[in-house]
Amino acid sequence: MDKLEMHHTLMAARARQKMSWDDLGQAVDRSPVWVASVCYGMNSAPPDIAQKLVQALGLEDDALVDAIKAYPTKTWDGAIPQDPLIYRLYEVVGVYGPTLKDVIQEKFGDGIMSAIDFSMDVEREQDPKGDRVKITMNGKFLPYKSW
Amino acid sequence: MDKLEMHHTLMAARARQKMSWDDLGQAVDRSPVWVASVCYGMNSAPPDIAQKLVQALGLEDDALVDAIKAYPTKTWDGAIPQDPLIYRLYEVVGVYGPTLKDVIQEKFGDGIMSAIDFSMDVEREQDPKGDRVKITMNGKFLPYKSW
Amino acid sequence: MDKLEMHHTLMAARARQKMSWDDLGQAVDRSPVWVASVCYGMNSAPPDIAQKLVQALGLEDDALVDAIKAYPTKTWDGAIPQDPLIYRLYEVVGVYGPTLKDVIQEKFGDGIMSAIDFSMDVEREQDPKGDRVKITMNGKFLPYKSW
Amino acid sequence: MDKLEMHHTLMAARARQKMSWDDLGQAVDRSPVWVASVCYGMNSAPPDIAQKLVQALGLEDDALVDAIKAYPTKTWDGAIPQDPLIYRLYEVVGVYGPTLKDVIQEKFGDGIMSAIDFSMDVEREQDPKGDRVKITMNGKFLPYKSW
Amino acid sequence: MDKLEMHHTLMAARARQKMSWDDLGQAVDRSPVWVASVCYGMNSAPPDIAQKLVQALGLEDDALVDAIKAYPTKTWDGAIPQDPLIYRLYEVVGVYGPTLKDVIQEKFGDGIMSAIDFSMDVEREQDPKGDRVKITMNGKFLPYKSW
Amino acid sequence: MDKLEMHHTLMAARARQKMSWDDLGQAVDRSPVWVASVCYGMNSAPPDIAQKLVQALGLEDDALVDAIKAYPTKTWDGAIPQDPLIYRLYEVVGVYGPTLKDVIQEKFGDGIMSAIDFSMDVEREQDPKGDRVKITMNGKFLPYKSW
Amino acid sequence: MDKLEMHHTLMAARARQKMSWDDLGQAVDRSPVWVASVCYGMNSAPPDIAQKLVQALGLEDDALVDAIKAYPTKTWDGAIPQDPLIYRLYEVVGVYGPTLKDVIQEKFGDGIMSAIDFSMDVEREQDPKGDRVKITMNGKFLPYKSW
Amino acid sequence: MDKLEMHHTLMAARARQKMSWDDLGQAVDRSPVWVASVCYGMNSAPPDIAQKLVQALGLEDDALVDAIKAYPTKTWDGAIPQDPLIYRLYEVVGVYGPTLKDVIQEKFGDGIMSAIDFSMDVEREQDPKGDRVKITMNGKFLPYKSW
Amino acid sequence: MDKLEMHHTLMAARARQKMSWDDLGQAVDRSPVWVASVCYGMNSAPPDIAQKLVQALGLEDDALVDAIKAYPTKTWDGAIPQDPLIYRLYEVVGVYGPTLKDVIQEKFGDGIMSAIDFSMDVEREQDPKGDRVKITMNGKFLPYKSW
Amino acid sequence: MDKLEMHHTLMAARARQKMSWDDLGQAVDRSPVWVASVCYGMNSAPPDIAQKLVQALGLEDDALVDAIKAYPTKTWDGAIPQDPLIYRLYEVVGVYGPTLKDVIQEKFGDGIMSAIDFSMDVEREQDPKGDRVKITMNGKFLPYKSW
């Protein structure tokens, strides 16, 4: 079973079970965003969590568990995303990229924010003028070093 | 004076004055990230703030103030960024884009996070295993509507 | 059922029923352009309208209703469209883009026209020298703000 | 004098004279959007209007008038625009292109909307929930014919 | 039946019937180039011609007639064509594009040659040094107008 | 003197002398389209014609004559042209490319129309419904051969 | 039968018959490179050779003979080839292209080497330091002419 | 002095001295194609040849000699060449690439023709039907090896 | 059997047999990296090794052995890789490419490192601050020569 | 002084001083590859090393020292490199990318080799059949973690 088939299987089960990402996150004791990324085939899960995930969704299938544990090849369609929700994030990187580089490197020195030793969260912020999406990214700072 | 000349003028003054983005943010009573984006020519400042910014940097020049107030054409080099710090952000959008779309739309319904009614913050998080970069994005949710 | 299969099902039913987009718009009490965009899989419909749409087309199928309600991932083939009708619209954006930016921002300040809080209409204008296509776009102005 | 130099000359004079696009449109008896497109070098003006335009801006220069009358080579940077205001228009073409093709061709038959025999208008629509941008495009329908 | 299946059906029948494009053009009283473009799915035929075309090819099939009448979405593979015959035409546009623009606009004023109100012909010209291909394009001139 | 400088020199002289392409073609006893392509730097002229061309334009300059005789490197901006007049020609190649290939190869066998042993003409065709542009391309047929 | 199926059929038969390209070239009295290009679907063969080719490979199939005679649409994957053997040829064109243009045009005048009236050969040259590949290309010179 | 300035200096001297590539090849005792590639900045020359080259062209300049000896960074404009002479070579690689791979690897085993341990020659072949360009490429075969 | 099917067959057998790349390398007396590249279809194996490989994996299939011996067409998806592990290698080439060129050519003269007469190794280096990946590339230096 | 001017200044001084990268590495007590990357503007040096570097090259200039210490924006021309030496490295990533991913992740688990906490070395390996280039890359393994 490859990651695509795994994705369709997990999404169908989630719909049948009417479980939200928050429910699923609680069921496997992980963040909802990370669990979603596993179900989208963009992260592998350790064996125990893969097992819990399958159980939480009322499934039972060794090939499915193997697929969840498999190390994914991470790729995406379209160097420039088209879906408006995803494009807006791309636009933020384009518009604010050099700004973020300057602000981060002033605070930390020459280096980068890791996208591997990294976590991410999404919250709904109540606002009378219209609720707001709050995305938090948290990555280890990796300094360049001379050698 | 165009935005590029404005950028070089402001960056040189900032270096001379040895002001950090935090210092400059405080001087004009705005977030350091937003002030940096203004100095990078990616946002326009209202007249009073443009004035304060120029003063804080020990400059005095009407053409410079006009350049800071001008509405920028926002563009960036390279559909796919190459600098490692900026590329990592692009990679995050590629790897987690569909995940974020699903998590946000489950929480809010069909729509997007605005990149216009939007703010952003960068913090340094102390960590014994290596300090971490924390980026917070905050954008109004805009629902699709039928018509 | 994914959006593509939904599209083919709805288009075939529309042909069988010989309903125009105007007919279909009236049947679900929405604009013909919006209804067409739903049938092309580019917008999701609220439950009641999805139901009406299926009934108007003489169909009855829960999976179809679910597909109509599903939040679409909006993508399109070809960064530069090739079909002459669609290319002409692209050409208008290329030729008049900076002009529109200047005219709109002079009238409204620094900001954009939303493509989300947005509606669109198409009319046929009688003209002795050859009838004309009139497209109206209507989007909320979103101002950039400092933070 | 090429179109780029012409553009900078006209924009500087417009700023000096503090004339809006509406003012300039009235001064030459043409639509503000069309006048702006002339000043951006994307349309040529007939001799009498080129003359009036230069006078309205307090300029006097035969080379400038010649540049305004010259037939432009229309090109634009970036197959996919990056500035958010212009990108939103591109997104509208991407998301709604096939929808518009179907709606227009149902109303008119096989053919296209001309981008040459074409005009365009921008209005500000008052709205208590936030004013709206209204763009109207008006192009002659050109039918495909057999031969 | 989509345009691709229609294309294969018509080409197979043409081979069976051993009809040249000239034969087929005569049978439906249209130009061979236009008829070929219909069989390649790049133009729609009016109902009576669609009917004649199907009969001329010894076919009888309502779905086929419908496919021939359907308004095509015109697309092509490869922004830059690779087949040498088609590439040479592309090269002609590249090499002579600005030349043609200048010559046409000198003769007609600011405007374009329509590719919609357009016809095309191919002839074989006898030549002792090797026969020659003669392609004639004929399109309505569309002037840009002020508004 | 390179081809670009040559182009600007020749175009300025042509404007001063108020000579049309037809005038210039007659002066050097060649087709107006070919003469224009020489002035645009896309073809080299034989020595005697280069001489005549310079004289017809009231110029006298050995470096200019050398530049006209130089064999050009033929390149063009943009794989996909943007100017509407040139784009329409590109669109014709895209839409009708496979049609032309089939029609030509049926008439001539497997081979191509040369873009080197090639000539081209532009005429204005009077038409009460709007005058028409007539472009004629004439290239030697080159058959593929086995070896 | 299309060219791809023809290719697989011919290659499988060649493997079964253990015939080299030299053997096959001799069997049909043509160059091995040309015969290979026919089997790869990049050239059409005249009827008698198509017949001989099929016989030499121990096949008998009218549809196959027709496929071999069909005029191919020549296309290739990847504007920039990736396979190292083919990339090296691309690199040679990139590195030596302007050099070859200059050397050829000095010898022949303004014009090109035809890729249609063209043949090609591959030989193995013995060399104590490692054998060498010798590729010979032979194309008719086509001069540009004025008209 | 960089390679571009070197190129212009050498080409101008060659024109002044009226030396063909053959003359220049003889003067430095190397092949005309290789000498041309050095003058185009695509190969470095060993010190003695750089010296001879400069003398043959009646120049004397240490910086020029250094520029000729410098190891070039080999790049070219346009992944797909546009000049017709160079494009035809690119087309040959596209059309015949897989054919050449098969023929070469049948003769030599799994491996490639080196583009580094490589030489190239151009000859004019007399032909009553029009002279022909003969290009010979000669590169060491490099086998893939297991390790 | 093509290389893709071969790849899936070998990977499935490897999983069933629970053999690491080191195990498999030892079984066929070759480096684990090279064996992996064979199983990924990017190198061909000599007959005896192909045989051993199949045996080591508990398979027996002549078509499989033939597929392993077949000379591959080496291609890869995505000019710019997206998977983070592979992208980091691409980034290293981008960031350090000119540096490596200078350092290598200073040590060896004008030439390149062969990617054909080439081997590669991966080791795990213990490190208290986190283990490290050590990749060694070893390619023959190929000097450019005059001719 | 920007990184480009810094690069030219340092390279000219290095040529004047006839210092190899090994000499320069010893002078500042760092690896020759890293020092070269600093001189190419792809890494920043700490203050003491920047000082030593300038002294070793017989220069004295505060602006130069500042430029060496500045954090670079790392970019490169050409998504696909063209220079043969650099292209071969790109080809290695393309051909062996998935192989390396599999071998590394089998040894370390799901994660990547850092290109930031990274060093690199180049050695000349004597070989009677032709000396060899040995490149060693050494990067910290970064594991993906759940959150």
Side-chain angles (χ1 to χ4, degrees), chain F residues 16-29:
Chain F
R16 269 198 313 276
Q17 306 280 1
K18 294 189 199 304
M19 294 186 81
S20 70
W21 293 116
D22 281 342
D23 296 340
L24 214 51
Q26 263 176 316
V28 305
D29 198 24

Short mmCIF file of all heavy atoms in Angstrom, two decimals, chain F residues 16-29:
data_model
loop_
_atom_site.label_atom_id
_atom_site.label_comp_id
_atom_site.label_asym_id
_atom_site.label_seq_id
_atom_site.Cartn_x
_atom_site.Cartn_y
_atom_site.Cartn_z
N ARG F 16 12.68 60.08 -39.91
CA ARG F 16 13.08 61.40 -40.44
C ARG F 16 12.70 61.54 -41.90
O ARG F 16 12.20 62.57 -42.33
CB ARG F 16 14.60 61.58 -40.31
CG ARG F 16 15.07 62.22 -39.03
CD ARG F 16 16.50 62.76 -39.15
NE ARG F 16 17.42 61.81 -39.75
CZ ARG F 16 18.05 60.84 -39.10
NH1 ARG F 16 17.86 60.66 -37.80
NH2 ARG F 16 18.87 60.03 -39.73
N GLN F 17 12.98 60.48 -42.68
CA GLN F 17 12.72 60.53 -44.13
C GLN F 17 11.27 60.27 -44.47
O GLN F 17 10.89 60.31 -45.64
CB GLN F 17 13.60 59.47 -44.84
CG GLN F 17 15.08 59.58 -44.55
CD GLN F 17 15.72 60.67 -45.39
OE1 GLN F 17 15.06 61.36 -46.16
NE2 GLN F 17 17.02 60.85 -45.20
N LYS F 18 10.49 59.92 -43.47
CA LYS F 18 9.08 59.59 -43.69
C LYS F 18 8.92 58.59 -44.83
O LYS F 18 8.10 58.77 -45.74
CB LYS F 18 8.26 60.85 -43.99
CG LYS F 18 8.18 61.82 -42.81
CD LYS F 18 7.19 62.94 -43.04
CE LYS F 18 7.43 64.10 -42.12
NZ LYS F 18 7.41 63.72 -40.66
N MET F 19 9.72 57.54 -44.80
CA MET F 19 9.60 56.50 -45.81
C MET F 19 8.84 55.31 -45.24
O MET F 19 9.16 54.84 -44.14
CB MET F 19 10.99 56.02 -46.26
CG MET F 19 11.79 57.08 -46.98
SD MET F 19 13.35 56.40 -47.62
CE MET F 19 12.78 55.61 -49.14
N SER F 20 7.86 54.83 -45.99
CA SER F 20 7.15 53.62 -45.56
C SER F 20 8.00 52.40 -45.93
O SER F 20 8.98 52.51 -46.66
CB SER F 20 5.80 53.53 -46.27
OG SER F 20 6.02 53.25 -47.64
N TRP F 21 7.57 51.23 -45.43
CA TRP F 21 8.28 49.99 -45.81
C TRP F 21 8.16 49.75 -47.32
O TRP F 21 9.07 49.21 -47.94
CB TRP F 21 7.76 48.79 -45.02
CG TRP F 21 8.07 48.87 -43.55
CD1 TRP F 21 7.19 48.96 -42.52
CD2 TRP F 21 9.38 48.87 -42.94
NE1 TRP F 21 7.85 49.02 -41.32
CE2 TRP F 21 9.20 48.97 -41.55
CE3 TRP F 21 10.68 48.82 -43.44
CZ2 TRP F 21 10.25 49.00 -40.65
CZ3 TRP F 21 11.74 48.85 -42.54
CH2 TRP F 21 11.52 48.94 -41.17
N ASP F 22 7.01 50.14 -47.88
CA ASP F 22 6.86 50.01 -49.33
C ASP F 22 7.88 50.88 -50.05
O ASP F 22 8.53 50.44 -51.00
CB ASP F 22 5.44 50.40 -49.76
CG ASP F 22 4.43 49.28 -49.49
OD1 ASP F 22 4.86 48.12 -49.32
OD2 ASP F 22 3.22 49.57 -49.45
N ASP F 23 8.00 52.14 -49.61
CA ASP F 23 9.00 53.04 -50.21
C ASP F 23 10.39 52.42 -50.14
O ASP F 23 11.14 52.40 -51.11
CB ASP F 23 9.05 54.38 -49.44
CG ASP F 23 7.75 55.15 -49.53
OD1 ASP F 23 6.95 54.88 -50.46
OD2 ASP F 23 7.51 56.01 -48.65
N LEU F 24 10.71 51.91 -48.95
CA LEU F 24 12.06 51.39 -48.74
C LEU F 24 12.27 50.13 -49.58
O LEU F 24 13.36 49.90 -50.12
CB LEU F 24 12.26 51.10 -47.25
CG LEU F 24 13.66 51.32 -46.68
CD1 LEU F 24 14.20 52.69 -47.04
CD2 LEU F 24 13.63 51.16 -45.17
N GLY F 25 11.23 49.32 -49.67
CA GLY F 25 11.32 48.11 -50.50
C GLY F 25 11.60 48.50 -51.95
O GLY F 25 12.50 47.92 -52.59
N GLN F 26 10.87 49.48 -52.43
CA GLN F 26 11.09 49.91 -53.82
C GLN F 26 12.50 50.46 -54.01
O GLN F 26 13.16 50.19 -55.01
CB GLN F 26 10.07 50.97 -54.21
CG GLN F 26 8.88 50.38 -54.97
CD GLN F 26 7.83 51.44 -55.26
OE1 GLN F 26 7.50 52.25 -54.37
NE2 GLN F 26 7.30 51.41 -56.47
N ALA F 27 12.96 51.23 -53.03
CA ALA F 27 14.28 51.85 -53.15
C ALA F 27 15.40 50.81 -53.27
O ALA F 27 16.42 51.08 -53.91
CB ALA F 27 14.53 52.77 -51.94
N VAL F 28 15.21 49.66 -52.65
CA VAL F 28 16.28 48.65 -52.73
C VAL F 28 15.85 47.46 -53.58
O VAL F 28 16.56 46.44 -53.62
CB VAL F 28 16.73 48.18 -51.33
CG1 VAL F 28 17.13 49.38 -50.48
CG2 VAL F 28 15.64 47.37 -50.65
N ASP F 29 14.71 47.58 -54.20
CA ASP F 29 14.23 46.55 -55.11
C ASP F 29 14.03 45.19 -54.42
O ASP F 29 14.41 44.14 -54.95
CB ASP F 29 15.23 46.42 -56.28
CG ASP F 29 14.59 45.71 -57.47
OD1 ASP F 29 13.36 45.75 -57.58
OD2 ASP F 29 15.35 45.12 -58.26
#
